[in-house]
Amino acid sequence: MQLDFPKTEEKILKFWQKKKIFEKSLKKTKNKPKFVFYEGPPFANGLPGIHHLLARAFKDIILRYKTMQGFYVERRAGWDTHGLPTETEAEKKLNIKSKKEIEKIGIDKFIEECRNNVFTHKKEWEEFTERIGFWLDFKNAYITCSNDYIESLWWILKQVWDKGLLYQDYKVVPYCSRCGTSLSSHEVAQGYKKVKENSVYVKFPVKGEKNTYLLVWTTTPWTLPGNSAIYVDLGTKYVKIEVKKNNKKEYYILAESCLGIIDEGYKIVEEFKTKDLIGKKYKPPFSYFEGLDPKYYHINKADFVETEQGTGLVHSAIMYGEEDFERAKEQGLKRNHVIDENGRMKNNVPLFKGLFFKDADPLIIEDLKKRKLLYKEEMYEHEYPFCWRCKTPLIYYAKNSWFIKMTAVRKDLIKNSKKINWVPAHIKKGRFGEWLKEVKDWNLSRERYWGTPLPIWNCEKCNKQICIGSLDELKKLQVTSHKLQDLHRPFIDKVILKCKCNGEMKRVPEVIDCWFDSGSMPFAQWHYPFENKGKINKNESFPADYISEAIDQTRGWFYTLLAVSTLLNKGISYKNVVCLGLVLDEKGQKMSKSKGNIIVPKQVIDKFGADCARFYFYTVNPAGESKRFNFKDIQDLHKGLFNTLWQSYTFFSIYKDKDFKPKKDFQPKNLLDKWIVSRSENLNSQVDKNLDNFDIVSAARLFEGFVDDLSNWHIRRSRKRFQRPETEEIKQEASQTLYYVLLKLSQTIAPFTPFIAEELYQKLDGGEESVHLSDYPKTKEKLIDNDLEKKMAELREIVAEVLAQRAEAKIKVRQPLQKLEINKKFENDLLELLKDEVNVKDVVIGKKIKLDTKITKELKGEGELRESIRAVNQLRKECGYISEDLIVTDIMGSPNIHNIEVFTEETKSENYKQVKTEKEIDENKYVKKKIGEKDFIAIPKLNKKTKI
Ligand SMILES: [Zn+2]
Ligand SMILES: [Zn+2]
């Protein structure tokens, strides 16, 4: 009997809804100790994907488990709303592409569109979340663009400002030219892609030395027009070499250690120490700025010059590299942009003006070739950062930005991070620890529109700047009577404040990184500190006991959560985190629209059910590893664990004692029963232990073995006790055992597979209204018998060995044999079990495991009987009889069949026995089956009348 899992799940969902089971579970635990969970807020303007199913499954299991353990687990949903994801969506809707166009249609219109787009797919998210059984409180969801949320963010920023950690600086920052804004290092870290592109070795003529060139290597030809200096390394030896090019002598200067890049024969004609090179003048490949700064175009030293790659001479464009910019600042070189904020070459490089910087590369290379300034080109594969939202290649670009001085709290970050428990453990010191060690100042500002406005006002008269930390503060200083109904741009920009100097203060134009929004959710979700002080100060909702998201969040949300709580001196904001691997397609490729390999959760859920999809993710591999999503694995799980579990219940429901009533304080007596009960208690105890350590995978993996033991050993070995019991007591005891084990299983597995567990619990009438309102089972230590489990395992090893010996001798299991010699002692009950399982009459203790394979005439007869029984059962199945149709009254067999009397007895048919020759059988009424060469059996065809 197969269960339609998806359909059953829909039924359970309705039941939960109608009976408000989730609400009841919260109500039941309201005054119990708290277990704090934070939901990492998703953007609702995209659709949920299969990787969301993974994360939500890993969240839900722990929350259900803790609830059943008696904790109060608040589960507030949250929505991330601000920032580029929403803005790009709005741009698409309005069919515009640039900031210019946004300002042309009006920021207010644009903001309105953003706001409309925030919740495009909210309904799909809610339905998806509910369908997979993730209980989440959507009614009280926090929303990052609400005024309350923003006011809390302002308060946090004010604390940072008061510590002197919020500052403005002209720096080279990662910049997306399409979005027209800089990005933070954690945003950049999420967008690296491997690219293959041309790198070039360029010849820079040395001034006053004929045919002599500095050899320089660069992967970014577009920076060459902006060249301002060449840097060399202090400790490196440089050489001048002579080569022949087109029958002409040329001289190249480069590091001795880099001579491997020279393709032709050469001879070294001069050796230099670095200081001999410093101060030499050269002619840049593009001479547009020769009059700009007399300090330009000299060789100088720098400590970031690589000598393992390239030539040991670094071309530097002041505006397009963090280190270049800092070094040029020390030298006092003039700033000089050749690329505008849209990523296009400016008018000051007439040859390439208007070109997108990456598109300029081939033209620049072509031009250098023409002028014989290119030594060679080389394909180069490296990791390059792209905008995580719009996929435009980023550019390192000098500009004015606002930063949080994270480098000043690095020690605190590292100290705090030590208190976090990571699953998998290696993330702590590895991916996360390394990230913190290298932590950079947080580039907080975005030159955009739909985001939390940076609450800094600037006096136009005396240049004083203030940071506003609350609406009250704002109202006190406000000059205009503008109502503060919406704290977003452009409304907030109209709020003018009064400076102490009596001048007027205007807000700076920037909004902030939306990752600051989500990282602040422990505080801002409660409008802290304006309301709900106890949530933080009394630790009612802080820190989180548990969070779980994908591994990419080590540089995203996991980092910003820790950053914000550390800035506020609040320690850690989460204690335990399960970090999940990415979901890939079955070949290990990233899923993407362009590859057409995206799997929609619905495809999986409609076919196998949500439980099966959840359980697949719990067991497929260690939590932190990438998952190659594969329908076949889910199908195997469905066929295996899920169907076997359900068949076990079905068996119970059919064969249980007719007047079955579960006994309280049931204690098994039969050895097989004691064994499965002990297995069940051990399962309970181990799942408990693993879940307490947030080791979900180890916990989940225990179920498959248990269900297999239950079905393929306990139930199979107990069939006779259910179907042909010697006494009613025997059947009663077997029923009690199976009930006890199944009920306990329904509760133990409930956090993992909430639907099937509910169905099972309801069918077994477990006592509470829902399995999820019942207490998580406690292990009954006194029912654990490890010794027995060990013995049973040994016994099953012997069984496996004996079956192997049978197979080798080509003797079917149905053929009884006389004697088996084994090398271990067992209790009588276990010996009986063994005899029955391997079908031998006597077991003796000897030296090792040996089966007597002699078949006497008597044994042969018995074997044939068994064959006949099997054949009848087989035939019954083929004819469409089911287990409940206990009796087929009319069994026919050929006269050759031995032991036909016993056969009748064994099959319990009362009214049988008409041995006929094969020809005598009416083929319209009977179905017959050959067994052996001459023998046959036949049973009536199934019709409504024969069905009992
Ligand atoms: Zn972008
Ligand atoms: Zn002022």
Side-chain angles (χ1 to χ4, degrees):
M1 279 231 261
Q2 304 256 332
L3 186 70
D4 183 336
F5 287 94
K7 215 168 143 190
T8 307
E9 291 181 357
E10 302 275 0
K11 181 188 83 182
I12 299 282
L13 280 174
K14 277 189 196 130
F15 164 75
W16 286 345
Q17 243 170 22
K18 196 173 157 206
K19 301 284 179 183
K20 295 192 184 319
I21 302 297
F22 176 34
E23 290 82 349
K24 280 178 187 166
S25 79
L26 288 170
K27 208 170 153 193
K28 185 184 167 193
T29 47
K30 185 82 199 172
N31 298 315
K32 295 282 173 61
K34 290 186 169 59
F35 181 84
V36 180
F37 162 73
Y38 292 158
E39 161 75 344
F43 282 102
N45 56 13
L47 285 169
I50 195 80
H51 53 295
H52 294 113
L53 201 161
L54 164 74
R56 301 203 148 216
F58 269 79
K59 293 173 190 181
D60 186 64
I61 179 186
I62 293 294
L63 310 187
R64 283 184 187 271
Y65 171 65
K66 289 291 167 184
T67 302
M68 285 177 81
Q69 276 192 325
F71 289 91
Y72 178 61
V73 189
E74 213 167 8
R75 275 165 261 191
R76 257 191 119 173
W79 299 111
D80 214 348
T81 53
H82 280 146
L84 285 175
T86 315
E87 288 201 25
T88 9
E89 207 50 40
E91 283 178 29
K92 263 189 228 159
K93 287 262 166 71
L94 294 168
N95 202 19
I96 51 174
K97 279 195 182 108
S98 65
K99 285 165 75 173
K100 232 188 227 163
E101 286 173 292
I102 292 171
E103 305 206 354
K104 202 173 149 201
I105 64 155
I107 299 176
D108 50 347
K109 266 226 174 102
F110 182 66
I111 293 295
E112 195 186 310
E113 188 61 38
C114 287
R115 200 188 289 278
N116 291 341
N117 274 293
V118 160
F119 289 126
T120 313
H121 295 297
K122 184 166 174 258
K123 196 167 150 259
E124 284 92 335
W125 272 92
E126 288 176 352
E127 282 169 2
F128 161 73
T129 304
E130 191 189 348
R131 180 62 190 83
I132 62 169
F134 178 26
W135 279 352
L136 196 61
D137 180 3
F138 281 108
K139 277 185 210 124
N140 300 304
Y142 67 89
I143 300 165
T144 59
C145 62
S146 71
N147 276 357
D148 281 355
Y149 202 95
I150 291 174
E151 192 183 19
S152 285
L153 294 175
W154 283 4
W155 177 83
I156 296 169
L157 287 169
K158 177 77 185 283
Q159 310 307 303
V160 179
W161 172 270
D162 285 347
K163 286 182 176 179
L165 297 179
L166 186 54
Y167 69 97
Q168 195 179 24
D169 198 4
Y170 204 83
K171 271 193 186 184
V172 171
V173 288
Y175 179 82
C176 174
S177 52
R178 196 219 68 88
C179 299
T181 186
S182 53
L183 282 80
S184 59
S185 49
H186 48 262
E187 284 175 307
V188 177
Q190 292 179 53
Y192 274 95
K193 263 195 264 175
K194 228 182 216 150
V195 290
K196 249 188 180 171
E197 51 193 356
N198 264 338
S199 68
V200 287
Y201 291 86
V202 185
K203 290 150 61 178
F204 283 53
V206 179
K207 273 206 170 161
E209 294 180 36
K210 212 181 160 199
N211 290 339
T212 305
Y213 303 92
L214 303 169
L215 265 195
V216 157
W217 179 66
T218 179
T219 58
T220 50
W222 56 267
T223 56
L224 287 168
N227 173 271
S228 47
I230 283 179
Y231 293 120
V232 287
D233 179 56
L234 258 191
T236 296
K237 193 169 158 195
Y238 289 85
V239 290
K240 187 199 275 184
I241 58 168
E242 181 190 301
V243 298
K244 263 208 173 147
K245 274 259 173 186
N246 309 323
N247 283 328
K248 225 174 76 186
K249 278 181 188 168
E250 282 193 353
Y251 301 92
Y252 301 148
I253 295 173
L254 69 164
E256 189 187 31
S257 59
C258 298
L259 278 169
I261 64 125
I262 300 296
D263 292 332
E264 53 276 281
Y266 61 85
K267 78 175 177 213
I268 296 175
V269 292
E270 198 178 342
E271 292 186 358
F272 305 96
K273 282 188 179 148
T274 314
K275 63 175 195 309
D276 303 331
L277 288 174
I278 292 174
K280 265 189 197 291
K281 286 181 90 173
Y282 63 86
K283 196 172 156 28
F286 298 95
S287 50
Y288 301 123
F289 305 108
E290 283 196 297
L292 179 73
D293 185 342
K295 287 197 290 271
Y296 265 37
Y297 312 133
H298 286 77
I299 297 182
N300 216 320
K301 62 173 177 163
D303 55 11
F304 54 83
V305 176
E306 258 193 87
T307 49
E308 271 140 37
Q309 223 174 3
T311 62
L313 291 117
V314 169
H315 132 70
S316 172
I318 167 169
M319 306 305 272
Y320 309 107
E322 220 177 318
E323 291 158 320
D324 308 73
F325 185 81
E326 292 306 320
R327 181 70 187 100
K329 211 158 99 182
E330 283 169 23
Q331 287 178 254
L333 299 186
K334 276 199 178 138
R335 290 170 187 173
N336 177 31
H337 263 309
V338 292
I339 311 255
D340 68 14
E341 296 203 347
N342 298 316
R344 298 190 176 268
M345 305 299 270
K346 284 175 47 168
N347 292 345
N348 54 13
V349 279
L351 199 52
F352 311 108
K353 75 173 182 193
L355 281 174
F356 186 60
F357 70 98
K358 278 270 178 193
D359 297 339
D361 276 354
L363 294 167
I364 288 173
I365 294 174
E366 206 44 49
D367 183 66
L368 292 172
K369 248 189 225 167
K370 252 195 250 163
R371 294 192 282 134
K372 301 202 164 46
L373 290 177
L374 189 75
Y375 175 66
K376 66 171 175 178
E377 285 177 76
E378 212 172 59
M379 276 313 251
Y380 180 62
E381 197 181 60
H382 62 144
E383 298 264 319
Y384 194 87
F386 290 77
C387 176
W388 65 288
R389 190 42 62 175
C390 78
K391 314 292 181 228
T392 303
L394 297 181
I395 178 171
Y396 283 82
Y397 194 87
K399 67 195 321 293
N400 227 350
S401 288
W402 288 90
F403 294 86
I404 298 180
K405 205 169 181 54
M406 295 312 295
T407 46
V409 294
R410 181 184 286 140
K411 268 189 192 160
D412 295 333
L413 284 171
I414 292 170
K415 196 180 84 194
N416 286 340
S417 75
K418 288 185 178 148
K419 292 175 213 150
I420 300 169
N421 172 39
W422 286 87
V423 176
H426 64 79
I427 305 266
K428 182 180 194 141
K429 282 190 180 156
R431 208 180 152 86
F432 197 62
E434 291 299 324
W435 172 256
L436 294 182
K437 257 194 232 164
E438 300 293 321
V439 82
K440 296 209 163 65
D441 284 353
W442 187 338
N443 180 3
L444 185 73
S445 56
R446 299 288 175 274
E447 300 90 279
R448 297 293 306 187
Y449 310 96
W450 176 243
T452 300
L454 188 64
I456 294 173
W457 270 257
N458 193 32
C459 175
E460 293 185 327
K461 202 168 146 197
C462 73
N463 266 331
K464 186 183 160 62
Q465 290 181 326
I466 55 166
C467 182
I468 295 295
S470 71
L471 287 184
D472 278 350
E473 232 180 299
L474 194 65
K475 281 174 196 155
K476 269 183 210 151
L477 297 173
Q478 194 179 350
V479 177
T480 42
S481 60
H482 191 82
K483 274 188 188 158
L484 300 171
Q485 275 163 340
D486 182 358
L487 302 183
H488 286 98
R489 294 189 71 187
F491 319 104
I492 196 69
D493 298 337
K494 293 175 193 148
V495 178
I496 309 287
L497 306 186
K498 195 172 180 182
C499 181
K500 276 185 183 155
C501 79
N502 265 334
E504 284 196 340
M505 302 186 104
K506 279 190 178 159
R507 199 187 72 82
V508 299
E510 289 92 348
V511 296
I512 65 167
D513 180 6
C514 64
W515 288 95
F516 192 87
D517 293 4
S518 54
S520 301
M521 64 68 63
F523 312 97
Q525 69 164 330
W526 300 114
H527 193 209
Y528 180 84
F530 308 102
E531 288 176 77
N532 299 310
K533 276 196 170 154
K535 294 279 186 192
I536 305 297
N537 299 351
K538 289 185 187 163
N539 298 96
E540 287 164 11
S541 176
F542 183 89
D545 290 292
Y546 179 61
I547 59 172
S548 176
E549 305 288 341
I551 200 156
D552 47 355
Q553 298 297 334
T554 39
R555 285 156 194 198
W557 194 53
F558 298 152
Y559 167 64
T560 60
L561 275 176
L562 179 69
V564 172
S565 64
T566 301
L567 286 165
L568 290 176
N569 288 341
K570 297 277 184 197
I572 51 171
S573 47
Y574 52 98
K575 293 183 194 164
N576 300 288
V577 47
V578 173
C579 203
L580 302 164
L582 303 173
V583 184
L584 308 171
D585 77 359
E586 56 183 337
K587 288 178 199 139
Q589 304 257 347
K590 254 192 164 176
M591 291 189 191
S592 73
K593 263 188 206 160
S594 57
K595 281 188 203 133
N597 59 352
I598 285 184
I599 295 196
V600 183
K602 195 171 156 31
Q603 281 173 278
V604 186
I605 295 166
D606 285 355
K607 200 159 179 195
F608 303 108
D611 271 350
C612 208
R614 288 169 63 123
F615 207 79
Y616 164 77
F617 282 127
Y618 297 144
T619 50
V620 62
N621 63 3
E625 284 174 24
S626 302
K627 284 129 205 5
R628 292 186 174 202
F629 190 87
N630 188 329
F631 271 99
K632 172 133 192 325
D633 288 347
I634 299 204
Q635 195 175 7
D636 288 349
L637 195 61
H638 184 259
K639 269 194 200 156
L641 177 78
F642 281 80
N643 276 331
T644 311
L645 173 62
W646 198 250
Q647 275 160 12
S648 303
Y649 163 73
T650 309
F651 180 87
F652 170 78
S653 71
I654 293 172
Y655 294 110
K656 65 173 191 280
D657 188 10
K658 263 188 202 130
D659 313 310
F660 178 79
K661 267 199 198 100
K663 259 190 210 162
K664 270 194 176 172
D665 301 320
F666 156 76
Q667 291 243 14
K669 288 187 205 85
N670 171 294
L671 223 47
L672 192 63
D673 290 350
K674 278 187 180 169
W675 170 75
I676 195 66
V677 168
S678 171
R679 283 281 288 116
S680 155
E681 296 303 328
N682 254 328
L683 172 79
N684 185 185
S685 145
Q686 286 171 40
V687 169
D688 233 359
K689 212 187 288 166
N690 282 313
L691 286 187
D692 280 340
N693 292 327
F694 300 92
D695 187 353
I696 294 159
V697 174
S698 296
R701 284 182 172 176
L702 295 166
F703 286 100
E704 245 171 315
F706 176 78
V707 170
D708 186 60
D709 276 357
L710 174 65
S711 164
N712 292 327
W713 192 249
H714 182 264
I715 293 181
R716 195 161 60 76
R717 294 300 340 145
S718 304
R719 275 183 182 274
K720 202 174 154 194
R721 293 198 292 147
F722 280 97
Q723 292 171 333
R724 301 184 299 279
E726 279 159 31
T727 65
E728 265 315 298
E729 283 75 42
I730 287 175
K731 182 163 180 154
Q732 270 171 27
E733 197 189 355
S735 304
Q736 290 292 345
T737 303
L738 195 47
Y739 177 83
Y740 178 85
V741 169
L742 284 170
L743 183 65
K744 187 142 193 165
L745 180 61
S746 76
Q747 291 173 288
T748 318
I749 208 170
F752 299 82
T753 55
F755 297 99
I756 179 111
E758 185 75 283
E759 179 72 0
L760 187 57
Y761 185 85
Q762 301 286 345
K763 285 259 185 330
L764 295 170
D765 198 3
E768 297 291 339
E769 191 179 11
S770 156
V771 70
H772 303 288
L773 295 175
S774 73
D775 294 339
Y776 201 73
K778 290 208 168 65
T779 306
K780 289 183 182 161
E781 298 288 344
K782 64 173 192 245
L783 295 180
I784 292 182
D785 186 341
N786 286 323
D787 200 44
L788 175 62
E789 284 193 41
K790 199 174 145 226
K791 275 199 179 137
M792 191 66 89
E794 285 168 0
L795 185 98
R796 291 180 72 181
E797 266 172 39
I798 293 173
V799 167
E801 167 64 26
V802 175
L803 294 183
Q805 286 186 21
R806 269 183 177 273
E808 199 168 306
K810 295 203 170 72
I811 302 170
K812 286 182 183 165
V813 184
R814 285 184 292 280
Q815 173 61 58
L817 293 172
Q818 192 60 42
K819 201 172 80 183
L820 168 69
E821 184 179 313
I822 57 168
N823 56 353
K824 277 194 188 88
K825 278 186 181 169
F826 290 99
E827 282 94 332
N828 271 343
D829 283 9
L830 287 179
L831 278 184
E832 287 306 315
L833 206 85
L834 176 62
K835 282 186 201 167
D836 207 36
E837 175 70 9
V838 301
N839 202 9
V840 296
K841 306 217 171 268
D842 304 311
V843 174
V844 293
I845 307 298
K847 284 179 184 167
K848 58 186 180 333
I849 300 164
K850 198 169 173 246
L851 187 66
D852 182 355
T853 52
K854 214 186 320 160
I855 303 170
T856 60
K857 199 179 165 194
E858 235 177 16
L859 288 171
K860 190 166 183 245
E862 273 184 53
E864 280 168 356
L865 165 67
R866 294 232 181 180
E867 279 295 343
S868 315
I869 294 171
R870 195 183 107 86
V872 169
N873 284 335
Q874 188 77 27
L875 205 52
R876 280 169 52 104
K877 237 191 213 170
E878 284 167 20
C879 292
Y881 291 97
I882 57 166
S883 318
E884 284 96 330
D885 302 331
L886 273 177
I887 301 158
V888 175
T889 54
D890 211 5
I891 300 173
M892 300 179 165
S894 57
N896 295 328
I897 291 178
H898 300 278
N899 283 317
I900 200 77
E901 324 278 336
V902 192
F903 171 63
T904 334
E905 179 55 33
E906 286 262 335
T907 51
K908 297 239 164 172
S909 55
E910 292 154 4
N911 189 18
Y912 118 94
K913 205 176 176 187
Q914 300 171 21
V915 179
K916 298 189 173 184
T917 62
E918 208 170 344
K919 278 180 198 159
E920 288 173 69
I921 292 172
D922 180 350
E923 302 226 352
N924 291 323
K925 288 184 185 162
Y926 287 87
V927 182
K928 69 179 180 205
K929 193 181 181 83
K930 262 184 145 5
I931 46 170
E933 258 174 54
K934 289 179 192 159
D935 301 336
F936 69 89
I937 50 150
I939 62 169
K941 281 185 178 169
L942 178 72
N943 59 45
K944 272 175 195 159
K945 275 179 203 160
T946 53
K947 194 165 163 122
I948 298 159

